[in-house]
Amino acid sequence: SGSRFNREDMELLMGFAEGLALNLERITLQEEVILERTEKEKLDELNRMKTEFITTVSHELRTPMSSLLGLSEMLQDGKIKNKTVQEKMLHLITEECSRLTRFLHNILDIGKIEQRAKTYKKNILEIQPIIEDILQLFQSQLESGRFRLHTEIPRDPLTLEIDRDALKQALTNLLDNAIKYSHDKRVITVRLVDEKESILIQVQDTGIGIADEDQGKIFSNFFRSTEAIAHCPRGVGLGLKVVAHIMAAHNGAVRVESHPGEGSTFTLIFPRQ
Ligand code: ADP
């Protein structure tokens, strides 16, 4: 336009510029403070979760450890002379130890899953003998808990490309829950279903069931329903997360159908290769 800035204009502009620079500096500082606070909050949350995890796991270990200690001390004292009672106590020790081993397996697996380090070794295997092995392992626990076990397993061999130990672990977790969350009516049904597009393994119980609003939450870390906690204090809410991971690794899924007070059916769905 041909106009020129005079000294006054320049002073005014410099005043604006200084104000702007100060504001910018303040915003940057505020951003840093907010960032630091968020980092601290994240760290606090992580520490809280760590403490909660340690507390839950210790709590879970305390009861079986003290019952193991009690039983072995009684046997060591030599006060129990009756052979049948001695055998019963040894049997309880074995059951408690295998329950602890299963619990530790789940904890170790969750660690690997969280670190994305859990791997599976798949082979083409016949499924029936794997299911039978697991049922055999649970036999005495089912008998001592006065459970009735129904099996619906077709004779013709069915094969899948699976990780044997992982399938055993998934079934173990489902059977453990079926036992843990059963009432007086103690019937467990294990089914192997040969469908056109998939092979299904079902574990059905007649226990406490799961409320509709909880059915979507039970596969996440540490979730336990209020009813489950009231019915059975034992549990940390990790077993089904492991099952879901195993099924995803087999390109399959785990599904739940349940009615409170009537029971639950968990289905492992393996797509046919
Ligand atoms: P945990 O049994 O240690 O609590 P899980 O991950 O195996 O952990 O199960 C998560 C939750 O899902 C349980 O706490 C319970 O609320 C519910 N649940 C699982 N299986 C059953 C079942 N068979 N009957 C009723 N509720 C179940």
Side-chain angles (χ1 to χ4, degrees):
S1 67
S3 340
R4 304 180 114 236
F5 287 117
N6 59 25
R7 181 161 294 279
E8 246 176 57
D9 294 332
M10 273 157 63
E11 271 168 15
L12 186 72
L13 282 174
M14 267 163 77
F16 275 146
E18 267 168 25
L20 266 177
L22 274 176
N23 269 335
L24 266 177
E25 211 170 306
R26 204 172 51 225
I27 290 171
T28 319
L29 270 175
Q30 273 173 349
E31 263 180 0
E32 274 168 17
V33 170
I34 290 170
L35 217 73
E36 253 172 47
R37 205 180 298 155
T38 323
E39 288 290 315
K40 190 174 170 311
E41 275 168 11
K42 256 195 228 157
L43 264 180
D44 286 349
E45 172 65 6
L46 268 178
N47 275 332
R48 194 193 55 73
M49 281 166 70
K50 233 192 286 175
T51 315
E52 192 182 298
F53 177 73
I54 293 168
T55 314
T56 320
V57 171
S58 319
H59 194 80
E60 187 71 9
L61 292 177
R62 203 176 50 190
T63 321
M65 290 309 247
S66 54
S67 90
L68 279 175
L69 195 69
L71 286 165
S72 49
E73 275 174 0
M74 272 158 76
L75 283 169
Q76 226 171 12
D77 284 352
K79 283 184 194 146
I80 313 287
K81 301 274 186 260
N82 185 316
K83 260 240 155 333
T84 324
V85 181
Q86 280 179 359
E87 270 165 23
K88 228 181 201 163
M89 287 166 78
L90 282 171
H91 181 74
L92 281 176
I93 291 180
T94 316
E95 264 190 10
E96 206 61 87
C97 284
S98 49
R99 209 173 295 153
L100 272 175
T101 311
R102 300 205 289 264
F103 171 67
L104 290 176
H105 261 144
N106 279 336
I107 296 278
L108 289 173
D109 271 352
I110 285 288
K112 285 188 201 152
I113 290 171
E114 296 290 328
Q115 288 168 10
R116 297 178 201 284
K118 171 95 183 127
T119 52
Y120 296 93
K121 253 193 271 156
K122 293 183 207 161
N123 288 301
I124 296 181
L125 298 169
E126 198 184 313
I127 313 163
Q128 281 95 331
I130 301 176
I131 300 180
E132 272 146 28
D133 271 4
I134 289 297
L135 292 179
Q136 184 82 37
L137 279 180
F138 271 91
Q139 198 183 3
S140 75
Q141 201 180 332
L142 289 168
E143 273 169 19
S144 61
R146 280 174 287 109
F147 277 91
R148 253 192 308 138
L149 175 73
H150 283 305
T151 52
E152 293 171 23
I153 299 172
R155 286 222 180 142
D156 285 346
L158 286 177
T159 57
L160 274 174
E161 192 178 356
I162 41 169
D163 179 312
R164 185 198 305 269
D165 291 340
L167 173 60
K168 281 186 175 179
Q169 195 177 1
L171 279 173
T172 301
N173 286 356
L174 295 185
L175 281 165
D176 257 339
N177 284 347
I179 293 174
K180 212 160 56 170
Y181 300 117
S182 274
H183 265 317
D184 328 334
K185 201 172 166 201
R186 294 171 167 241
V187 185
I188 294 178
T189 309
V190 176
R191 274 186 212 97
L192 175 62
V193 188
D194 183 11
E195 287 199 334
K196 216 165 107 206
E197 294 190 348
S198 44
I199 290 176
L200 314 179
I201 304 177
Q202 289 186 323
V203 176
Q204 181 177 8
D205 64 58
T206 46
I208 61 169
I210 305 162
D212 280 352
E213 65 271 21
D214 288 340
Q215 290 180 18
K217 302 179 197 160
I218 57 175
F219 298 98
S220 46
N221 275 355
F222 299 117
F223 177 82
R224 302 199 72 213
S225 70
T226 324
E227 294 76 18
I229 296 168
H231 178 78
C232 172
R234 284 183 100 161
V236 287
L238 292 177
L240 287 182
K241 164 99 179 191
V242 173
V243 175
H245 194 271
I246 290 171
M247 293 316 293
H250 287 80
N251 302 318
V254 50
R255 190 176 64 202
V256 61
E257 271 174 75
S258 185
H259 300 285
E262 287 176 27
S264 314
T265 304
F266 283 85
T267 306
L268 304 179
I269 307 165
F270 292 92
R272 281 191 180 284
Q273 282 94 13

mmCIF file with all atom_site columns, all heavy atoms in Angstrom, residues 177-178 180-181 205 208-210 218 223-225 228 235-240 264 266, ligand 1:
data_model
loop_
_atom_site.group_PDB
_atom_site.id
_atom_site.type_symbol
_atom_site.label_atom_id
_atom_site.label_alt_id
_atom_site.label_comp_id
_atom_site.label_asym_id
_atom_site.label_entity_id
_atom_site.label_seq_id
_atom_site.pdbx_PDB_ins_code
_atom_site.Cartn_x
_atom_site.Cartn_y
_atom_site.Cartn_z
_atom_site.occupancy
_atom_site.B_iso_or_equiv
_atom_site.pdbx_formal_charge
_atom_site.auth_seq_id
_atom_site.auth_comp_id
_atom_site.auth_asym_id
_atom_site.auth_atom_id
_atom_site.pdbx_PDB_model_num
ATOM   1   N N   . ASN A 1 177 ? -14.527 -75.274 36.882 1.00 0.00 ? 177 ASN A N   1
ATOM   2   C CA  . ASN A 1 177 ? -15.618 -74.320 37.131 1.00 0.00 ? 177 ASN A CA  1
ATOM   3   C C   . ASN A 1 177 ? -16.949 -75.029 37.319 1.00 0.00 ? 177 ASN A C   1
ATOM   4   O O   . ASN A 1 177 ? -17.730 -74.670 38.199 1.00 0.00 ? 177 ASN A O   1
ATOM   5   C CB  . ASN A 1 177 ? -15.739 -73.323 35.969 1.00 0.00 ? 177 ASN A CB  1
ATOM   6   C CG  . ASN A 1 177 ? -14.655 -72.277 36.027 1.00 0.00 ? 177 ASN A CG  1
ATOM   7   O OD1 . ASN A 1 177 ? -13.967 -72.148 37.030 1.00 0.00 ? 177 ASN A OD1 1
ATOM   8   N ND2 . ASN A 1 177 ? -14.501 -71.519 34.953 1.00 0.00 ? 177 ASN A ND2 1
ATOM   9   N N   . ALA A 1 178 ? -17.207 -76.044 36.482 1.00 0.00 ? 178 ALA A N   1
ATOM   10  C CA  . ALA A 1 178 ? -18.477 -76.769 36.590 1.00 0.00 ? 178 ALA A CA  1
ATOM   11  C C   . ALA A 1 178 ? -18.620 -77.363 37.996 1.00 0.00 ? 178 ALA A C   1
ATOM   12  O O   . ALA A 1 178 ? -19.705 -77.335 38.589 1.00 0.00 ? 178 ALA A O   1
ATOM   13  C CB  . ALA A 1 178 ? -18.549 -77.860 35.528 1.00 0.00 ? 178 ALA A CB  1
ATOM   14  N N   . LYS A 1 180 ? -16.877 -76.278 40.749 1.00 0.00 ? 180 LYS A N   1
ATOM   15  C CA  . LYS A 1 180 ? -16.848 -75.184 41.734 1.00 0.00 ? 180 LYS A CA  1
ATOM   16  C C   . LYS A 1 180 ? -18.191 -74.469 41.833 1.00 0.00 ? 180 LYS A C   1
ATOM   17  O O   . LYS A 1 180 ? -18.610 -74.073 42.904 1.00 0.00 ? 180 LYS A O   1
ATOM   18  C CB  . LYS A 1 180 ? -15.778 -74.194 41.263 1.00 0.00 ? 180 LYS A CB  1
ATOM   19  C CG  . LYS A 1 180 ? -15.078 -73.489 42.360 1.00 0.00 ? 180 LYS A CG  1
ATOM   20  C CD  . LYS A 1 180 ? -13.746 -72.920 41.923 1.00 0.00 ? 180 LYS A CD  1
ATOM   21  C CE  . LYS A 1 180 ? -13.798 -71.998 40.741 1.00 0.00 ? 180 LYS A CE  1
ATOM   22  N NZ  . LYS A 1 180 ? -12.515 -71.310 40.518 1.00 0.00 ? 180 LYS A NZ  1
ATOM   23  N N   . TYR A 1 181 ? -18.861 -74.292 40.703 1.00 0.00 ? 181 TYR A N   1
ATOM   24  C CA  . TYR A 1 181 ? -20.089 -73.485 40.723 1.00 0.00 ? 181 TYR A CA  1
ATOM   25  C C   . TYR A 1 181 ? -21.348 -74.337 40.695 1.00 0.00 ? 181 TYR A C   1
ATOM   26  O O   . TYR A 1 181 ? -22.389 -73.906 40.210 1.00 0.00 ? 181 TYR A O   1
ATOM   27  C CB  . TYR A 1 181 ? -20.063 -72.476 39.578 1.00 0.00 ? 181 TYR A CB  1
ATOM   28  C CG  . TYR A 1 181 ? -18.872 -71.545 39.704 1.00 0.00 ? 181 TYR A CG  1
ATOM   29  C CD1 . TYR A 1 181 ? -17.868 -71.505 38.754 1.00 0.00 ? 181 TYR A CD1 1
ATOM   30  C CD2 . TYR A 1 181 ? -18.753 -70.722 40.820 1.00 0.00 ? 181 TYR A CD2 1
ATOM   31  C CE1 . TYR A 1 181 ? -16.763 -70.672 38.896 1.00 0.00 ? 181 TYR A CE1 1
ATOM   32  C CE2 . TYR A 1 181 ? -17.651 -69.884 40.978 1.00 0.00 ? 181 TYR A CE2 1
ATOM   33  C CZ  . TYR A 1 181 ? -16.663 -69.877 40.013 1.00 0.00 ? 181 TYR A CZ  1
ATOM   34  O OH  . TYR A 1 181 ? -15.581 -69.064 40.175 1.00 0.00 ? 181 TYR A OH  1
ATOM   35  N N   . ASP A 1 205 ? -23.164 -77.798 33.159 1.00 0.00 ? 205 ASP A N   1
ATOM   36  C CA  . ASP A 1 205 ? -23.423 -78.080 34.577 1.00 0.00 ? 205 ASP A CA  1
ATOM   37  C C   . ASP A 1 205 ? -24.827 -77.649 34.950 1.00 0.00 ? 205 ASP A C   1
ATOM   38  O O   . ASP A 1 205 ? -25.524 -76.995 34.165 1.00 0.00 ? 205 ASP A O   1
ATOM   39  C CB  . ASP A 1 205 ? -22.376 -77.388 35.469 1.00 0.00 ? 205 ASP A CB  1
ATOM   40  C CG  . ASP A 1 205 ? -22.421 -75.875 35.386 1.00 0.00 ? 205 ASP A CG  1
ATOM   41  O OD1 . ASP A 1 205 ? -23.481 -75.296 35.680 1.00 0.00 ? 205 ASP A OD1 1
ATOM   42  O OD2 . ASP A 1 205 ? -21.398 -75.260 35.023 1.00 0.00 ? 205 ASP A OD2 1
ATOM   43  N N   . ILE A 1 208 ? -24.967 -72.716 39.564 1.00 0.00 ? 208 ILE A N   1
ATOM   44  C CA  . ILE A 1 208 ? -25.552 -71.407 39.907 1.00 0.00 ? 208 ILE A CA  1
ATOM   45  C C   . ILE A 1 208 ? -25.900 -70.554 38.686 1.00 0.00 ? 208 ILE A C   1
ATOM   46  O O   . ILE A 1 208 ? -26.693 -69.640 38.776 1.00 0.00 ? 208 ILE A O   1
ATOM   47  C CB  . ILE A 1 208 ? -24.624 -70.602 40.857 1.00 0.00 ? 208 ILE A CB  1
ATOM   48  C CG1 . ILE A 1 208 ? -23.256 -70.312 40.195 1.00 0.00 ? 208 ILE A CG1 1
ATOM   49  C CG2 . ILE A 1 208 ? -24.432 -71.311 42.169 1.00 0.00 ? 208 ILE A CG2 1
ATOM   50  C CD1 . ILE A 1 208 ? -22.410 -69.308 40.971 1.00 0.00 ? 208 ILE A CD1 1
ATOM   51  N N   . GLY A 1 209 ? -25.279 -70.857 37.542 1.00 0.00 ? 209 GLY A N   1
ATOM   52  C CA  . GLY A 1 209 ? -25.567 -70.084 36.326 1.00 0.00 ? 209 GLY A CA  1
ATOM   53  C C   . GLY A 1 209 ? -24.927 -68.693 36.359 1.00 0.00 ? 209 GLY A C   1
ATOM   54  O O   . GLY A 1 209 ? -24.319 -68.295 37.359 1.00 0.00 ? 209 GLY A O   1
ATOM   55  N N   . ILE A 1 210 ? -25.075 -67.969 35.240 1.00 0.00 ? 210 ILE A N   1
ATOM   56  C CA  . ILE A 1 210 ? -24.427 -66.656 35.119 1.00 0.00 ? 210 ILE A CA  1
ATOM   57  C C   . ILE A 1 210 ? -25.468 -65.644 34.624 1.00 0.00 ? 210 ILE A C   1
ATOM   58  O O   . ILE A 1 210 ? -26.153 -65.896 33.615 1.00 0.00 ? 210 ILE A O   1
ATOM   59  C CB  . ILE A 1 210 ? -23.250 -66.720 34.122 1.00 0.00 ? 210 ILE A CB  1
ATOM   60  C CG1 . ILE A 1 210 ? -22.269 -67.835 34.526 1.00 0.00 ? 210 ILE A CG1 1
ATOM   61  C CG2 . ILE A 1 210 ? -22.507 -65.380 34.037 1.00 0.00 ? 210 ILE A CG2 1
ATOM   62  C CD1 . ILE A 1 210 ? -21.333 -68.269 33.432 1.00 0.00 ? 210 ILE A CD1 1
ATOM   63  N N   . ILE A 1 218 ? -17.110 -62.426 31.656 1.00 0.00 ? 218 ILE A N   1
ATOM   64  C CA  . ILE A 1 218 ? -16.415 -63.514 32.346 1.00 0.00 ? 218 ILE A CA  1
ATOM   65  C C   . ILE A 1 218 ? -15.102 -63.952 31.679 1.00 0.00 ? 218 ILE A C   1
ATOM   66  O O   . ILE A 1 218 ? -14.322 -64.668 32.283 1.00 0.00 ? 218 ILE A O   1
ATOM   67  C CB  . ILE A 1 218 ? -17.335 -64.748 32.530 1.00 0.00 ? 218 ILE A CB  1
ATOM   68  C CG1 . ILE A 1 218 ? -17.866 -65.221 31.176 1.00 0.00 ? 218 ILE A CG1 1
ATOM   69  C CG2 . ILE A 1 218 ? -18.467 -64.445 33.485 1.00 0.00 ? 218 ILE A CG2 1
ATOM   70  C CD1 . ILE A 1 218 ? -18.685 -66.497 31.269 1.00 0.00 ? 218 ILE A CD1 1
ATOM   71  N N   . PHE A 1 223 ? -12.278 -60.990 36.369 1.00 0.00 ? 223 PHE A N   1
ATOM   72  C CA  . PHE A 1 223 ? -13.714 -60.802 36.636 1.00 0.00 ? 223 PHE A CA  1
ATOM   73  C C   . PHE A 1 223 ? -14.284 -62.009 37.366 1.00 0.00 ? 223 PHE A C   1
ATOM   74  O O   . PHE A 1 223 ? -14.078 -63.149 36.973 1.00 0.00 ? 223 PHE A O   1
ATOM   75  C CB  . PHE A 1 223 ? -14.516 -60.559 35.340 1.00 0.00 ? 223 PHE A CB  1
ATOM   76  C CG  . PHE A 1 223 ? -15.989 -60.436 35.643 1.00 0.00 ? 223 PHE A CG  1
ATOM   77  C CD1 . PHE A 1 223 ? -16.505 -59.227 36.078 1.00 0.00 ? 223 PHE A CD1 1
ATOM   78  C CD2 . PHE A 1 223 ? -16.833 -61.538 35.581 1.00 0.00 ? 223 PHE A CD2 1
ATOM   79  C CE1 . PHE A 1 223 ? -17.849 -59.115 36.432 1.00 0.00 ? 223 PHE A CE1 1
ATOM   80  C CE2 . PHE A 1 223 ? -18.176 -61.440 35.924 1.00 0.00 ? 223 PHE A CE2 1
ATOM   81  C CZ  . PHE A 1 223 ? -18.673 -60.228 36.341 1.00 0.00 ? 223 PHE A CZ  1
ATOM   82  N N   . ARG A 1 224 ? -14.986 -61.766 38.457 1.00 0.00 ? 224 ARG A N   1
ATOM   83  C CA  . ARG A 1 224 ? -15.735 -62.816 39.159 1.00 0.00 ? 224 ARG A CA  1
ATOM   84  C C   . ARG A 1 224 ? -17.098 -62.239 39.496 1.00 0.00 ? 224 ARG A C   1
ATOM   85  O O   . ARG A 1 224 ? -17.189 -61.124 40.031 1.00 0.00 ? 224 ARG A O   1
ATOM   86  C CB  . ARG A 1 224 ? -15.040 -63.220 40.467 1.00 0.00 ? 224 ARG A CB  1
ATOM   87  C CG  . ARG A 1 224 ? -13.607 -63.717 40.306 1.00 0.00 ? 224 ARG A CG  1
ATOM   88  C CD  . ARG A 1 224 ? -13.186 -64.514 41.526 1.00 0.00 ? 224 ARG A CD  1
ATOM   89  N NE  . ARG A 1 224 ? -13.857 -65.792 41.543 1.00 0.00 ? 224 ARG A NE  1
ATOM   90  C CZ  . ARG A 1 224 ? -14.230 -66.426 42.658 1.00 0.00 ? 224 ARG A CZ  1
ATOM   91  N NH1 . ARG A 1 224 ? -13.996 -65.885 43.828 1.00 0.00 ? 224 ARG A NH1 1
ATOM   92  N NH2 . ARG A 1 224 ? -14.848 -67.595 42.593 1.00 0.00 ? 224 ARG A NH2 1
ATOM   93  N N   . SER A 1 225 ? -18.159 -62.980 39.203 1.00 0.00 ? 225 SER A N   1
ATOM   94  C CA  . SER A 1 225 ? -19.485 -62.434 39.486 1.00 0.00 ? 225 SER A CA  1
ATOM   95  C C   . SER A 1 225 ? -19.738 -62.439 40.992 1.00 0.00 ? 225 SER A C   1
ATOM   96  O O   . SER A 1 225 ? -19.119 -63.219 41.733 1.00 0.00 ? 225 SER A O   1
ATOM   97  C CB  . SER A 1 225 ? -20.551 -63.266 38.788 1.00 0.00 ? 225 SER A CB  1
ATOM   98  O OG  . SER A 1 225 ? -20.652 -64.528 39.415 1.00 0.00 ? 225 SER A OG  1
ATOM   99  N N   . ALA A 1 228 ? -20.735 -65.764 42.121 1.00 0.00 ? 228 ALA A N   1
ATOM   100 C CA  . ALA A 1 228 ? -19.628 -66.729 42.168 1.00 0.00 ? 228 ALA A CA  1
ATOM   101 C C   . ALA A 1 228 ? -18.817 -66.525 43.452 1.00 0.00 ? 228 ALA A C   1
ATOM   102 O O   . ALA A 1 228 ? -18.467 -67.499 44.132 1.00 0.00 ? 228 ALA A O   1
ATOM   103 C CB  . ALA A 1 228 ? -18.732 -66.572 40.950 1.00 0.00 ? 228 ALA A CB  1
ATOM   104 N N   . GLY A 1 235 ? -10.894 -68.671 43.780 1.00 0.00 ? 235 GLY A N   1
ATOM   105 C CA  . GLY A 1 235 ? -10.900 -68.295 42.364 1.00 0.00 ? 235 GLY A CA  1
ATOM   106 C C   . GLY A 1 235 ? -10.325 -66.902 42.198 1.00 0.00 ? 235 GLY A C   1
ATOM   107 O O   . GLY A 1 235 ? -10.438 -66.064 43.103 1.00 0.00 ? 235 GLY A O   1
ATOM   108 N N   . VAL A 1 236 ? -9.688  -66.674 41.064 1.00 0.00 ? 236 VAL A N   1
ATOM   109 C CA  . VAL A 1 236 ? -9.112  -65.347 40.830 1.00 0.00 ? 236 VAL A CA  1
ATOM   110 C C   . VAL A 1 236 ? -9.628  -64.719 39.537 1.00 0.00 ? 236 VAL A C   1
ATOM   111 O O   . VAL A 1 236 ? -9.323  -63.573 39.240 1.00 0.00 ? 236 VAL A O   1
ATOM   112 C CB  . VAL A 1 236 ? -7.564  -65.361 40.800 1.00 0.00 ? 236 VAL A CB  1
ATOM   113 C CG1 . VAL A 1 236 ? -6.998  -65.539 42.178 1.00 0.00 ? 236 VAL A CG1 1
ATOM   114 C CG2 . VAL A 1 236 ? -7.026  -66.415 39.873 1.00 0.00 ? 236 VAL A CG2 1
ATOM   115 N N   . GLY A 1 237 ? -10.399 -65.485 38.768 1.00 0.00 ? 237 GLY A N   1
ATOM   116 C CA  . GLY A 1 237 ? -10.952 -64.910 37.540 1.00 0.00 ? 237 GLY A CA  1
ATOM   117 C C   . GLY A 1 237 ? -9.968  -64.876 36.380 1.00 0.00 ? 237 GLY A C   1
ATOM   118 O O   . GLY A 1 237 ? -9.923  -63.908 35.625 1.00 0.00 ? 237 GLY A O   1
ATOM   119 N N   . LEU A 1 238 ? -9.173  -65.945 36.244 1.00 0.00 ? 238 LEU A N   1
ATOM   120 C CA  . LEU A 1 238 ? -8.224  -65.983 35.116 1.00 0.00 ? 238 LEU A CA  1
ATOM   121 C C   . LEU A 1 238 ? -8.442  -67.190 34.191 1.00 0.00 ? 238 LEU A C   1
ATOM   122 O O   . LEU A 1 238 ? -8.020  -67.178 33.041 1.00 0.00 ? 238 LEU A O   1
ATOM   123 C CB  . LEU A 1 238 ? -6.782  -66.028 35.639 1.00 0.00 ? 238 LEU A CB  1
ATOM   124 C CG  . LEU A 1 238 ? -6.276  -64.770 36.356 1.00 0.00 ? 238 LEU A CG  1
ATOM   125 C CD1 . LEU A 1 238 ? -4.862  -64.995 36.885 1.00 0.00 ? 238 LEU A CD1 1
ATOM   126 C CD2 . LEU A 1 238 ? -6.285  -63.568 35.425 1.00 0.00 ? 238 LEU A CD2 1
ATOM   127 N N   . GLY A 1 239 ? -9.118  -68.217 34.705 1.00 0.00 ? 239 GLY A N   1
ATOM   128 C CA  . GLY A 1 239 ? -9.252  -69.469 33.962 1.00 0.00 ? 239 GLY A CA  1
ATOM   129 C C   . GLY A 1 239 ? -9.902  -69.312 32.596 1.00 0.00 ? 239 GLY A C   1
ATOM   130 O O   . GLY A 1 239 ? -9.420  -69.863 31.600 1.00 0.00 ? 239 GLY A O   1
ATOM   131 N N   . LEU A 1 240 ? -10.994 -68.549 32.532 1.00 0.00 ? 240 LEU A N   1
ATOM   132 C CA  . LEU A 1 240 ? -11.705 -68.434 31.249 1.00 0.00 ? 240 LEU A CA  1
ATOM   133 C C   . LEU A 1 240 ? -10.932 -67.578 30.251 1.00 0.00 ? 240 LEU A C   1
ATOM   134 O O   . LEU A 1 240 ? -11.057 -67.767 29.040 1.00 0.00 ? 240 LEU A O   1
ATOM   135 C CB  . LEU A 1 240 ? -13.102 -67.850 31.477 1.00 0.00 ? 240 LEU A CB  1
ATOM   136 C CG  . LEU A 1 240 ? -14.119 -68.790 32.121 1.00 0.00 ? 240 LEU A CG  1
ATOM   137 C CD1 . LEU A 1 240 ? -15.467 -68.106 32.254 1.00 0.00 ? 240 LEU A CD1 1
ATOM   138 C CD2 . LEU A 1 240 ? -14.271 -70.085 31.328 1.00 0.00 ? 240 LEU A CD2 1
ATOM   139 N N   . SER A 1 264 ? -24.998 -73.797 33.443 1.00 0.00 ? 264 SER A N   1
ATOM   140 C CA  . SER A 1 264 ? -24.275 -73.187 32.321 1.00 0.00 ? 264 SER A CA  1
ATOM   141 C C   . SER A 1 264 ? -23.745 -74.255 31.389 1.00 0.00 ? 264 SER A C   1
ATOM   142 O O   . SER A 1 264 ? -23.423 -75.369 31.810 1.00 0.00 ? 264 SER A O   1
ATOM   143 C CB  . SER A 1 264 ? -23.068 -72.391 32.827 1.00 0.00 ? 264 SER A CB  1
ATOM   144 O OG  . SER A 1 264 ? -23.418 -71.599 33.918 1.00 0.00 ? 264 SER A OG  1
ATOM   145 N N   . PHE A 1 266 ? -20.690 -74.431 28.548 1.00 0.00 ? 266 PHE A N   1
ATOM   146 C CA  . PHE A 1 266 ? -19.577 -73.806 27.832 1.00 0.00 ? 266 PHE A CA  1
ATOM   147 C C   . PHE A 1 266 ? -19.244 -74.678 26.625 1.00 0.00 ? 266 PHE A C   1
ATOM   148 O O   . PHE A 1 266 ? -19.145 -75.903 26.753 1.00 0.00 ? 266 PHE A O   1
ATOM   149 C CB  . PHE A 1 266 ? -18.356 -73.665 28.738 1.00 0.00 ? 266 PHE A CB  1
ATOM   150 C CG  . PHE A 1 266 ? -18.495 -72.526 29.712 1.00 0.00 ? 266 PHE A CG  1
ATOM   151 C CD1 . PHE A 1 266 ? -19.158 -72.696 30.921 1.00 0.00 ? 266 PHE A CD1 1
ATOM   152 C CD2 . PHE A 1 266 ? -17.985 -71.266 29.413 1.00 0.00 ? 266 PHE A CD2 1
ATOM   153 C CE1 . PHE A 1 266 ? -19.307 -71.640 31.809 1.00 0.00 ? 266 PHE A CE1 1
ATOM   154 C CE2 . PHE A 1 266 ? -18.124 -70.215 30.287 1.00 0.00 ? 266 PHE A CE2 1
ATOM   155 C CZ  . PHE A 1 266 ? -18.792 -70.398 31.489 1.00 0.00 ? 266 PHE A CZ  1
HETATM 156 P P1  . ADP B 2 .   ? -12.606 -68.156 38.620 1.00 0.00 ? 1   ADP B P1  1
HETATM 157 O O1  . ADP B 2 .   ? -13.439 -69.397 38.520 1.00 0.00 ? 1   ADP B O1  1
HETATM 158 O O2  . ADP B 2 .   ? -11.278 -68.374 39.217 1.00 0.00 ? 1   ADP B O2  1
HETATM 159 O O3  . ADP B 2 .   ? -13.357 -67.029 39.259 1.00 0.00 ? 1   ADP B O3  1
HETATM 160 P P2  . ADP B 2 .   ? -12.784 -68.042 35.709 1.00 0.00 ? 1   ADP B P2  1
HETATM 161 O O4  . ADP B 2 .   ? -12.058 -67.153 34.757 1.00 0.00 ? 1   ADP B O4  1
HETATM 162 O O5  . ADP B 2 .   ? -12.660 -69.500 35.490 1.00 0.00 ? 1   ADP B O5  1
HETATM 163 O O6  . ADP B 2 .   ? -12.272 -67.638 37.137 1.00 0.00 ? 1   ADP B O6  1
HETATM 164 O O7  . ADP B 2 .   ? -14.318 -67.648 35.669 1.00 0.00 ? 1   ADP B O7  1
HETATM 165 C C1  . ADP B 2 .   ? -14.670 -66.275 35.704 1.00 0.00 ? 1   ADP B C1  1
HETATM 166 C C2  . ADP B 2 .   ? -16.068 -66.112 36.284 1.00 0.00 ? 1   ADP B C2  1
HETATM 167 O O8  . ADP B 2 .   ? -17.037 -66.674 35.383 1.00 0.00 ? 1   ADP B O8  1
HETATM 168 C C3  . ADP B 2 .   ? -16.320 -66.828 37.601 1.00 0.00 ? 1   ADP B C3  1
HETATM 169 O O9  . ADP B 2 .   ? -15.842 -66.112 38.698 1.00 0.00 ? 1   ADP B O9  1
HETATM 170 C C4  . ADP B 2 .   ? -17.826 -66.950 37.585 1.00 0.00 ? 1   ADP B C4  1
HETATM 171 O O10 . ADP B 2 .   ? -18.421 -65.711 37.923 1.00 0.00 ? 1   ADP B O10 1
HETATM 172 C C5  . ADP B 2 .   ? -18.119 -67.225 36.107 1.00 0.00 ? 1   ADP B C5  1
HETATM 173 N N1  . ADP B 2 .   ? -18.200 -68.670 35.793 1.00 0.00 ? 1   ADP B N1  1
HETATM 174 C C6  . ADP B 2 .   ? -17.316 -69.403 35.086 1.00 0.00 ? 1   ADP B C6  1
HETATM 175 N N2  . ADP B 2 .   ? -17.731 -70.678 34.943 1.00 0.00 ? 1   ADP B N2  1
HETATM 176 C C7  . ADP B 2 .   ? -18.927 -70.754 35.551 1.00 0.00 ? 1   ADP B C7  1
HETATM 177 C C8  . ADP B 2 .   ? -19.890 -71.809 35.732 1.00 0.00 ? 1   ADP B C8  1
HETATM 178 N N3  . ADP B 2 .   ? -19.689 -73.023 35.259 1.00 0.00 ? 1   ADP B N3  1
HETATM 179 N N4  . ADP B 2 .   ? -21.028 -71.500 36.422 1.00 0.00 ? 1   ADP B N4  1
HETATM 180 C C9  . ADP B 2 .   ? -21.248 -70.260 36.901 1.00 0.00 ? 1   ADP B C9  1
HETATM 181 N N5  . ADP B 2 .   ? -20.379 -69.233 36.763 1.00 0.00 ? 1   ADP B N5  1
HETATM 182 C C10 . ADP B 2 .   ? -19.228 -69.465 36.102 1.00 0.00 ? 1   ADP B C10 1
#
